Amino acid sequence: QVQLEESGGGLVQSGGSLRLSCAASGRSFTRYAMGWFRQAPGLDRQFVAAVNWNGGTTYYADSVKGRFTISRDNAKNTVYLQMNSLKPEDTAVYYCAAVQGLPKSQSYEYPYWGQGTQVTVSS
């Protein structure tokens, strides 16, 4: 029902900032809660942040709370992840995901996924 495409990944120094974007195709973007996940080498896919249909409710993993901000622009069918104060342990492939209804924190609860974008934070 929806296709997702991330952009904005890249290489950044420790302490720097980066903003990821996820563009969604099709109609009824507001039917979906949106999430960001990441997967570092050798680790499982990890919840990062999620946002409800209108952006009024957000959730964050403890590891990124206070540093990352998830937001959405429904007029543009786009969700964002603003990443500040980046650390080397933030290095991972970051994935955008969509689920109808309420936000979720487990990857298996999201049926729709983007292809991922690499974020590398150097020391």
Side-chain angles (χ1 to χ4, degrees):
Q1 291 185 355
V2 62
Q3 293 188 16
L4 308 173
E5 185 172 1
E6 301 98 334
S7 62
L11 176 64
V12 65
Q13 292 183 341
S14 181
S17 297
L18 206 60
R19 188 176 78 157
L20 306 183
S21 298
C22 174
S25 68
R27 303 172 297 170
S28 302
F29 181 58
T30 56
R31 291 182 180 179
Y32 299 94
M34 304 295 297
W36 286 96
F37 292 77
R38 66 188 183 186
Q39 189 164 22
L43 299 179
D44 292 336
R45 193 163 296 186
Q46 178 186 48
F47 172 75
V48 175
V51 62
N52 77 334
W53 71 277
N54 67 357
T57 304
T58 57
Y59 302 91
Y60 298 94
D62 288 342
S63 59
V64 307
K65 197 171 297 181
R67 300 187 298 122
F68 290 11
T69 303
I70 188 171
S71 62
R72 66 192 294 162
D73 186 341
N74 289 339
K76 295 182 177 180
N77 280 14
T78 302
V79 62
Y80 304 96
L81 185 68
Q82 178 66 47
M83 304 184 293
N84 298 326
S85 301
L86 283 162
K87 306 174 181 179
E89 52 261 46
D90 295 318
T91 295
V93 177
Y94 282 71
Y95 297 90
C96 176
V99 57
Q100 293 189 28
L102 299 175
K104 313 295 184 181
S105 61
Q106 300 293 320
S107 61
Y108 66 82
E109 296 176 298
Y110 286 80
Y112 308 108
W113 292 84
Q115 81 287 349
T117 185
Q118 175 70 229
V119 172
T120 302
V121 184
S122 63
S123 301

